[in-house]
């Protein structure tokens, strides 16, 4: 992994090169694709054990992609008041570094047990988890997170449930996977598949590409889910298209979206589900027996997503197993 000084040097060099607009337009798309292909899978390691399922899932995914695995544990030392000036200062940094090393050593032992030949490194970084993991996502092909642990009986609910995951899935520079359950206890059906939401938009197209690439690596089919609703009234007399017309239009949209990807991934079987219901509900229903659910993300940001709703965030909260969130402008290698 690069040191901070090496990162700064590379950023300065990149800024100089990209100052030429013509050069940037010609080179930047290819450079980003190559960076994603060569990057590691990064998994955030929590001290409370909530990232165990994410660690196991990320290990299996790194082995399948034959790429390095990078374990990152972010820690913040407790603050204490300076007795002379009363200003909060960090205390116990050495003890926190020791605790971080212990957390990472346990995670490393687990990875080496599951995948002895995998290239893996671990790093304890002082700082807020969101800031640390966002920085790591710049060089990663995939960021893997654990779901928040269930609330213990007798404790108060969180004021901002999933705030860290919301920030990372909307701002990370690579696709983000959130793993809810360990592969050891995930009871998938007899014919698991990679489930992906399809709606004909650019963010959906990026998710479909990611789903096909993942399915090909794992030898699984893709289940393409498109949710549709009845047309809104076109005038005051409440004239709408017949339901059969709306459904047929939905099927044509799915077919047009999938044609390009079935041509690129001819060995991947495809199952199409066109259902009349809300998109988030359809994907959550299909997640119970899925190997992975893939959703696109419009990148609304935390405030707009909270105000207007987000299918990806609803699926993250309600789906079982693992969910990958893919932004069309940061799709990575898939």
């Amino acid at each position: 992994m690069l040191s901070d000084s090496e990162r700064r040097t590379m950023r300065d060099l990149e800024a100089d090169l990209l100052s030429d607009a013509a050069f940037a337009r010609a080179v930047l798309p290819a450079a980003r694709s190559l960076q994603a292909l060569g990057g590691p899978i990064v998994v955030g390691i929590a001290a409370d054990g909530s990232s165990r399922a994410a660690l196991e899932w990320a290990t299996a995914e790194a082995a399948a992609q034959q790429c390095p695995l990078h374990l990152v544990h972010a820690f913040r030392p407790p603050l204490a008041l300076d007795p002379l000036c009363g200003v909060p200062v960090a205390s116990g940094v050495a003890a926190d570094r020791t605790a971080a090393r212990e957390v990472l050593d346990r995670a490393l032992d687990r990875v080496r047990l599951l995948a002895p030949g995998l290239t893996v490194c671990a790093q304890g970084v002082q700082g807020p988890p969101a800031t640390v993991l966002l920085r790591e996502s710049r060089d990663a092909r995939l960021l893997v997170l654990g779901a928040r642990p269930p609330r213990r009986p007798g404790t108060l609910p969180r004021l901002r449930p999933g705030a860290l995951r919301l920030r990372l899935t909307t701002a990370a520079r690579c696709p983000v996977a959130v793993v809810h359950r360990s592969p050891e206890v995930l009871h998938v059906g007899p014919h698991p598949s990679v489930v992906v939401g399809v709606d004909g938009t650019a963010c959906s197209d990026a998710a479909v590409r990611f789903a096909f690439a993942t399915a090909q690596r794992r030898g699984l089919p893709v289940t393409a889910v498109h949710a549709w609703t009845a047309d809104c009234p076109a005038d005051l007399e409440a004239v709408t298209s017949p339901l059969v017309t709306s459904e047929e239009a939905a099927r044509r949209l799915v077919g047009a979206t999938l044609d390009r990807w079935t041509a690129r991934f001819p060995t991947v079987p495809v199952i199409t589900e066109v259902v009349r219901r809300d998109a988030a509900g359809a994907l959550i229903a299909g997640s119970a027996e899925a190997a992975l659910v893939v959703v696109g993300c419009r990148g609304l940001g935390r405030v707009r997503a909270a105000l207007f709703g987000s299918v990806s965030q609803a699926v993250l909260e309600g789906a079982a197993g693992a969910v990958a969130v893919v932004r069309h402008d940061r799709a990575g290698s898939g």
Side-chain angles (χ1 to χ4, degrees):
M1 292 297 124
L2 299 177
S3 66
D4 289 341
S5 61
E6 289 171 330
R7 287 180 188 273
R8 286 193 295 271
T9 301
M10 290 186 64
R11 285 197 296 270
D12 292 342
L13 178 60
E14 180 183 16
D16 291 340
L17 292 173
L18 295 181
S19 61
D20 184 335
F23 178 86
R25 286 194 300 269
V27 173
L28 196 55
R32 284 176 175 168
S33 297
L34 290 173
Q35 182 185 48
L37 287 170
I41 290 178
V42 175
V43 55
I45 304 298
D48 60 6
S50 61
S51 56
R52 179 182 174 88
L55 175 66
E56 295 172 352
W57 190 92
T59 300
E61 188 65 19
Q65 296 195 36
Q66 298 182 345
C67 69
L69 181 65
H70 185 194
L71 315 183
V72 178
H73 173 62
F75 65 93
R76 288 186 285 189
L79 296 178
L81 290 178
D82 188 302
L84 297 178
C85 58
V87 176
V89 294
S91 65
V93 176
D96 280 284
R97 290 192 183 279
T98 300
R101 175 47 56 187
E102 292 174 353
V103 169
L104 290 169
D105 285 344
R106 290 193 296 269
L108 281 169
D109 290 342
R110 183 62 178 166
V111 172
R112 288 165 180 157
L113 178 64
L114 295 172
L118 187 66
T119 300
V120 56
C121 67
Q123 183 180 15
V125 183
Q126 182 177 338
T131 302
V132 170
L133 293 174
L134 283 176
R135 184 167 61 243
E136 294 296 329
S137 75
R138 293 181 303 197
D139 298 325
R141 67 175 67 192
L142 179 66
L143 175 63
V144 183
L145 309 172
R148 68 180 188 274
R151 184 166 58 91
R152 293 190 300 271
T155 60
L156 294 175
R158 291 175 175 83
L159 294 178
R160 295 187 302 160
L164 174 62
R165 289 178 297 155
L166 175 58
R167 179 177 179 186
L168 291 172
T169 53
T170 55
R173 301 300 303 179
C174 65
V176 179
V178 177
V179 184
H180 293 264
R181 290 187 291 177
S182 169
E184 296 177 353
V185 298
L186 181 58
H187 299 292
V188 298
H191 304 290
S193 65
V194 177
V195 175
V196 60
V198 178
D199 64 10
T201 63
C203 62
S204 166
D205 206 43
V208 172
R209 180 176 74 87
F210 186 97
F212 269 89
T214 302
Q216 184 178 62
R217 284 194 300 269
R218 300 187 181 190
L220 295 174
V222 165
T223 297
V225 178
H226 176 72
W228 64 279
T229 56
D231 290 341
C232 294
D235 53 36
L236 294 178
E237 296 180 357
V239 177
T240 63
S241 300
L243 292 181
V244 65
T245 302
S246 298
E247 182 175 1
E248 182 58 31
R251 293 189 182 278
R252 287 197 301 270
L253 182 149
V254 174
T257 300
L258 295 178
D259 283 347
R260 182 157 63 97
W261 300 110
T262 54
R264 289 183 58 178
F265 298 89
T267 62
V268 177
V270 180
I271 304 164
T272 302
E273 294 185 1
V274 178
V275 295
R276 184 185 175 190
R277 66 176 303 176
D278 65 287
L283 291 170
I284 291 171
S287 72
E289 298 183 346
L292 176 68
V293 177
V294 185
V295 291
C297 176
R298 291 173 291 171
L300 294 177
R302 287 174 288 171
V303 175
R304 291 179 64 194
L307 290 175
F308 303 111
S310 165
V311 172
S312 61
Q313 297 306 318
V315 174
L316 279 175
E317 291 296 324
V323 179
V325 180
V326 183
R327 283 186 59 171
H328 73 279
D329 56 342
R330 302 170 186 178
S333 59

